[in-house]
Amino acid sequence: MPEKVVKTEAEWRQRLSPEEYRVLREAGTERPGTGEYVDTKTTGVYRCRACGAELFRSDTKFDSHCGWPSFWSPLAADRVQLIEDRSLGMTRTEVRCARCDSHLGHVFEGEGYGTPTDQRFCINSVSLTLEPSEST
């Protein structure tokens, strides 16, 4: 993982749109089914919208029908931080970018999806940018 990205909240506000800031820096959530990558099948790498770190590959993306892009694994374990989240009266696991500490979404386990890890990284589209693979 490249060097940690550290910015003041004022610098993040300048760099990000209000919706990006709300989700990435304030741990907000976009409305289900509204994100640009929910149904995307494009081959490529998904990067953190705040700092550009490579986080997920399209070959780990799957249709979970939950309203957000879902992945069964990050690109590498060191690309994300998993943090216990006790907000909203429940215990969940928050997923953050390990490089800039931006909120990406949550990860869930044991839901019975036919994936190699039995995990669903439920990630906000607004937290990501997709870098399509070059055609050969």
Side-chain angles (χ1 to χ4, degrees):
M1 173 59 57
E3 192 173 315
K4 198 86 163 156
V5 172
V6 179
K7 294 182 183 296
T8 66
E9 290 310 305
E11 290 171 319
W12 284 122
R13 282 189 189 278
Q14 281 186 320
R15 182 173 179 352
L16 302 170
S17 74
E19 178 67 359
E20 291 167 349
Y21 185 87
R22 184 183 72 78
V23 173
L24 288 157
R25 305 308 303 167
E26 296 177 333
T29 301
E30 64 192 2
R31 289 184 31 224
T34 62
E36 69 179 301
Y37 300 127
V38 174
D39 298 316
T40 300
K41 305 287 187 218
T42 304
T43 302
V45 174
Y46 289 87
R47 295 177 174 272
C48 175
R49 191 170 300 228
C51 73
E54 292 184 351
L55 300 172
F56 299 95
R57 292 204 183 276
S58 59
D59 60 359
T60 64
K61 187 173 186 284
F62 69 101
D63 292 325
S64 67
H65 308 288
C66 70
W68 293 274
S70 298
F71 303 87
W72 51 263
S73 177
L75 183 70
D78 68 348
R79 300 302 172 102
V80 297
Q81 292 177 312
L82 303 180
I83 300 166
E84 186 176 285
D85 175 0
R86 293 185 170 266
S87 66
L88 304 177
M90 64 181 96
T91 302
R92 303 179 292 173
T93 303
E94 179 185 7
V95 181
R96 288 190 191 173
C97 174
R99 187 171 180 222
C100 71
D101 295 322
S102 288
H103 174 77
L104 303 171
H106 290 85
V107 63
F108 303 94
E109 293 185 84
E111 297 177 313
Y113 289 105
T115 61
T117 63
D118 197 27
Q119 293 181 315
R120 175 173 58 96
F121 284 80
C122 184
I123 307 298
N124 292 285
S125 287
V126 74
S127 297
L128 303 170
T129 57
L130 173 59
E131 181 181 300
S133 297
E134 292 183 20
S135 299
T136 53

